Amino acid sequence: MLSKTIEEALNKQIRIEAESSQVYLAMAVWAEVKGLEGISNFMYDQSDEEREHMLKLVKFVNERGGHALISELNAPNITFNSFQEMFEKLLAHEIFVSESINDLVHISLQEKDYASHNFLQWYVAEQIEEEAVARTILDKINMIGDDKGGLYLFDRDIQQLAVVSAADTPVQ
Ligand code: FEO
């Protein structure tokens, strides 16, 4: 059985994961409108992954006798000045999510909720992976700068990154 404190904290994370899915969906749409299909597909996949992260939490809360809250979401950013800015926001968002997961792990220990603590380890590992992918992409984008040819090639290559990251992070 979940304590009220941990239930509230998990529900807060459910909202963050749902908002993350919307954040990346908006990025996917923007990239698609700009004609960069590879980047767009990568973002659509990211958005789906975030929904999986949310669902995994929803199931966990309900299985442990809590009530998962499906709440109103903040609207995401829908336009960007550049792909560089978009990927900077992606990394910043993942760092924000990692901090939130860390807080959640801390709360689980305070509550002596070792089942939640164990469950959350999957998210700890996932965040390491997601931050690493976001950093790799941003490094590449920073190298490309304003070079249209470089961006075109990157749009093709990002598919590989998407495949690798999806294979490395199975959702149970
Ligand atoms: Fe589920 Fe990318 O945080």
Side-chain angles (χ1 to χ4, degrees):
M1 190 75 189
L2 295 170
S3 73
K4 273 290 154 215
T5 305
I6 192 86
E7 184 176 351
E8 273 171 24
L10 288 165
N11 272 324
K12 185 167 157 247
Q13 193 62 33
I14 285 172
R15 180 175 180 160
I16 288 174
E17 300 293 345
E19 286 179 345
S20 300
S21 182
Q22 295 296 91
V23 165
Y24 298 148
L25 185 58
M27 289 178 178
V29 169
W30 186 76
E32 192 161 51
V33 168
K34 294 283 170 191
L36 290 179
E37 202 185 337
I39 294 175
S40 173
N41 284 337
F42 175 82
M43 287 300 178
Y44 278 121
D45 287 346
Q46 285 293 115
S47 176
D48 284 347
E49 272 197 36
E50 298 302 344
R51 185 178 152 77
E52 292 294 330
H53 297 174
M54 178 205 56
L55 281 175
K56 205 168 147 74
L57 280 157
V58 163
K59 299 278 181 197
F60 181 74
V61 168
N62 286 346
E63 271 168 18
R64 302 267 328 274
H67 185 169
L69 288 185
I70 307 305
S71 63
E72 189 183 13
L73 305 177
N74 283 326
N77 219 1
I78 57 170
T79 58
F80 306 89
N81 293 317
S82 63
F83 281 96
Q84 202 165 1
E85 186 197 319
M86 190 185 83
F87 283 111
E88 277 166 6
K89 286 198 186 314
L90 171 76
L91 176 59
H93 189 77
E94 286 305 330
I95 291 170
F96 160 75
V97 174
S98 297
E99 284 167 1
S100 178
I101 295 289
N102 278 348
D103 289 347
L104 204 40
V105 170
H106 183 72
I107 294 168
S108 72
L109 286 177
Q110 278 179 330
E111 293 292 300
K112 295 192 167 70
D113 185 341
Y114 299 110
S116 291
H117 183 266
N118 185 52
F119 168 78
L120 288 167
Q121 296 313 303
W122 184 86
Y123 287 83
V124 172
E126 179 71 7
Q127 282 313 119
I128 293 170
E129 173 74 24
E130 296 218 335
E131 275 191 41
V133 170
R135 279 200 180 85
T136 303
I137 291 174
L138 192 54
D139 284 349
K140 287 186 198 297
I141 286 280
N142 284 339
M143 267 192 283
I144 292 164
D146 292 332
D147 177 32
K148 290 252 185 304
L151 196 56
Y152 174 81
L153 289 176
F154 177 74
D155 188 57
R156 193 194 56 191
D157 291 348
I158 195 172
Q159 303 284 13
Q160 300 305 320
L161 273 172
V163 170
V164 170
S165 91
D168 281 354
T169 57
V171 173
Q172 290 147 12

